[in-house]
Amino acid sequence: MEPHKGVFTTHRPRRLRSTAALRDFVAESNLRNARLVLPFFARPGKKLRKPVTSMPDVFQLSPDQVLRDAEGAFKKGVKAVLLFGIPDQKDEQASGAYAENGIVQETVRVLKKELPELLVITDVCLCEYMSHGHCGIVQKTGKTAQILNDPTLAILAKTALSHAESGADIVAPSDMMDGRVRAIREKLDHSNFLHLPIMSYAAKFSSAFYGPFREAAESAPQFGDRRSYQMDARNANEAVREVELDIAEGADIIMVKPALAYLDIIYRVKETFKYPTAAYCVSAEYAMIKAAGQKGWIDERAVMLESHLAMHRAGADIIITYAAKQLTEWLKG
C-alpha cells in the first residue's frame, strides 16, 4: 500500500539490541577519551597523610606521599595531577606562594625528578597562603575590606614563574582577578617560558559546592566571602565573556568550575570557542556521591561514571576530579 500523498515518510533506524561491544562502537560519547586529572593537597613534612574528613579517600600529603600516590595513579592510567599547596606559615603578602622552597615548588621538583612523564599542573592562587584566606591583597578601611586587584597581579605572576622554574608543565590561575592571565603570560614570556601553557579557571563561580575544599586546602576566608571576584551563579552570558577575555589574554586551556552543576556553561563555552576545555568536578560534587554510596543509597560506581560522562558529553576534554584513579580502574574493568 502506497503512503498517502503529501505525507512525509521516513525509515526509522533499527535500534541496536546486540552486544555491548557494538554499543560501545557506535557510542557518541566515551569517557575513556577524556583526560582525567587528579588533584593533590601538599603540605610540608615527611610520611604525612592527614585525612580530609569531608572528602573520603582524600588526604593532605607530604611531598614523598604525593609521589607515592601519584606514582600509583600513574600506573593505573592517570597521566596528570593538579597541585595545591598548604604552607606552615601564612601572611598578608602570600610569601609562601612564590618562595623558592615553597611546598608546591618542592613537590613539583620531587614529581618531575621521579616521574618525568607525569604531567604536573600547578594551581596558581593565593588564598592558601594568605592569613585572611582571600585570593588577593586586602585593604581594610574601618569595618570594610576591599580586594586590590592590580597589586595582586604581580604576586600571581611571580608565583606562576616560580612554579615554571621548579618544573611545572602547566600553570593554572584560579584566583579570578581581572587581567591575571595577561600578567602571567607576560611574566612567563619575559623569562623564556614562552611555550609553557596556561590553563585558566576562566569561568569560576562563587559556589556552595566548594565547602569540603575549604577544609582540604585550609583556605576559608576569615571574613566576608569571595562573591566580589568569583562569578554569580545566575550569570551564563557573563561566563562566556569571561572566557573570551581569558583567551584574548593568552589562555591555552579554559576551565569551568564547578562542573556537574554547570553543564550548561561547559556546553556553551565549548560550542562558542572550540578551545581545549576543562571542567573541575569540585569537592562537594565528589563528596556527595561518595557519602551516598557509603550509605548504600546509590550505586557509587554507576553514579560516579555517569556524572563524569555528563561532563565529557557537555564538552569537557579534560576533567579534574578526585575520583580520577577510581574512574580509570572502573573504565578498564
Side-chain angles (χ1 to χ4, degrees), residues 31 36-39 55-58 69 72-74 76-78 281 285-287 289-291 293-294 299-305 307-308 321-333:
L31 188 54
L36 300 179
V37 179
L38 180 60
M55 297 175 69
D57 303 323
V58 176
D69 286 12
F74 186 82
K76 295 291 185 181
V78 179
C281 180
E285 293 175 321
Y286 165 83
I289 296 174
K290 295 290 288 186
Q294 290 178 354
D299 181 335
E300 178 190 324
R301 179 182 186 275
V303 174
M304 196 71 81
L305 284 166
S307 63
H308 286 75
T321 172
Y322 304 98
K325 184 179 176 182
Q326 279 184 304
L327 289 168
T328 57
E329 292 172 344
W330 290 334
L331 289 168
K332 289 178 180 178

Side-chain angles (χ1 to χ4, degrees), residues 11-31:
H11 292 291
R12 183 177 180 179
R14 182 177 298 173
R15 183 177 296 172
L16 297 171
R17 300 180 185 273
S18 48
T19 66
L22 182 53
R23 290 194 295 273
D24 286 344
F25 185 69
V26 298
E28 296 177 19
S29 299
N30 192 329
L31 188 54

Side-chain angles (χ1 to χ4, degrees), residues 21 38 64 135 141 144 168 189 198 206 220 238 314-315:
L38 180 60
D64 59 310
C135 300
T141 307
T144 63
D189 288 354
I198 296 174
S206 178
E238 182 187 5

Side-chain angles (χ1 to χ4, degrees), residues 16 20 59 89-90 103 150 184 191 208 281 295 331:
L16 297 171
F59 302 84
Q89 300 293 326
K90 305 187 180 194
I103 181 58
D150 291 359
I184 290 171
S191 303
C281 180
K295 287 285 189 180
L331 289 168

